[in-house]
Amino acid sequence: MKTIVLSAVLMGLALQSNAQDMLFRAKLEIEDVPELVVTALEEDFPDYTIVEYSAIPVEYVEGDVYINPNIDTNADYDTFEIDMHTASKEVTATYDREGELIKITEHFKNVALPYSVSKSLAKEYPNWKLVKDSYEMVQVGNDKAKKRFRVVLENHGKKIHVHTNEKGKILNHHKRV
């Protein structure tokens, strides 16, 4: 009985998250993306393979975000999100209609950790072995980029997920058995 209830709850959560994605992202073809955005994208990321173009019903006004759920056509979108990748990283770039880069998110897997992160992990989790790691950088406009590392450590069959910033400060951790 517990399995059935748990399965139903997980299925409900999965459907809800998919519905939210559909409300706030509209997949586009390249011909539906403004020419200024396509040109800026080609200049900013010439060696990347485009995975998907999306429009999102938000507007950025002086640093504040406003959601506009009443958009009827592709011509009404002001914000465009492009997912792309190279062999070693995934990038999501958000542009406004004029081709200005609003936000960039980079994601790398299995990178060489900075010394400060390695030192902090070794001090806080002695005798734990690094199993895998990932790096994510988010930059909005001209603000300073936020860099985060997520590592999985293992010790005697137990695993722990640890999140740090680029200076090695441990932000949080989650244990898994």
Side-chain angles (χ1 to χ4, degrees):
M1 182 68 179
K2 286 182 184 179
T3 305
I4 294 171
V5 171
L6 181 61
S7 297
V9 169
L10 291 176
M11 185 188 275
L13 290 173
L15 291 174
Q16 181 183 6
S17 67
N18 189 29
Q20 287 177 347
D21 190 43
M22 287 188 288
L23 285 175
F24 294 106
R25 287 180 60 146
K27 291 183 183 178
L28 300 176
E29 298 298 323
I30 189 168
E31 55 271 2
D32 296 325
V33 179
E35 185 62 34
L36 290 172
V37 173
V38 174
T39 301
L41 185 63
E42 291 170 352
E43 290 174 7
D44 294 342
F45 303 97
D47 299 328
Y48 286 75
T49 302
I50 305 299
V51 175
E52 181 177 89
Y53 296 96
S54 300
I56 49 179
V58 298
E59 298 177 33
Y60 292 90
V61 179
E62 295 181 12
D64 292 327
V65 178
Y66 296 95
I67 296 175
N68 182 359
N70 301 319
I71 292 180
D72 295 327
T73 68
N74 289 343
D76 291 337
Y77 284 107
D78 289 328
T79 310
F80 301 87
E81 190 172 88
I82 298 87
D83 295 324
M84 57 196 131
H85 67 83
T86 64
S88 62
K89 65 180 166 179
E90 300 169 6
V91 173
T92 300
T94 306
Y95 286 88
D96 67 13
R97 177 168 289 289
E98 287 74 39
E100 293 295 318
L101 185 61
I102 298 170
K103 175 183 172 187
I104 182 169
T105 303
E106 294 181 343
H107 184 80
F108 300 81
K109 292 181 179 177
N110 298 318
V111 297
L113 296 174
Y115 176 74
S116 58
V117 173
S118 297
K119 181 179 174 183
S120 175
L121 291 171
K123 180 180 176 186
E124 190 70 28
Y125 302 97
N127 302 321
W128 287 74
K129 181 178 94 173
L130 178 68
V131 177
K132 64 181 176 179
D133 62 71
S134 62
Y135 162 78
E136 185 168 281
M137 184 279 300
V138 177
Q139 183 172 8
V140 178
N142 294 326
D143 293 343
K144 184 177 178 185
K146 292 182 181 178
K147 300 174 184 178
R148 303 287 186 255
F149 292 87
R150 178 180 183 263
V151 298
V152 177
L153 302 173
E154 185 175 38
N155 186 3
H156 300 295
K158 294 183 180 180
K159 290 185 180 179
I160 188 169
H161 294 250
V162 181
H163 299 261
T164 74
N165 64 13
E166 77 269 21
K167 295 180 181 178
K169 178 181 179 189
I170 295 176
L171 303 171
N172 64 23
H173 65 272
H174 306 282
K175 291 185 180 181
R176 261 186 14 186
V177 178

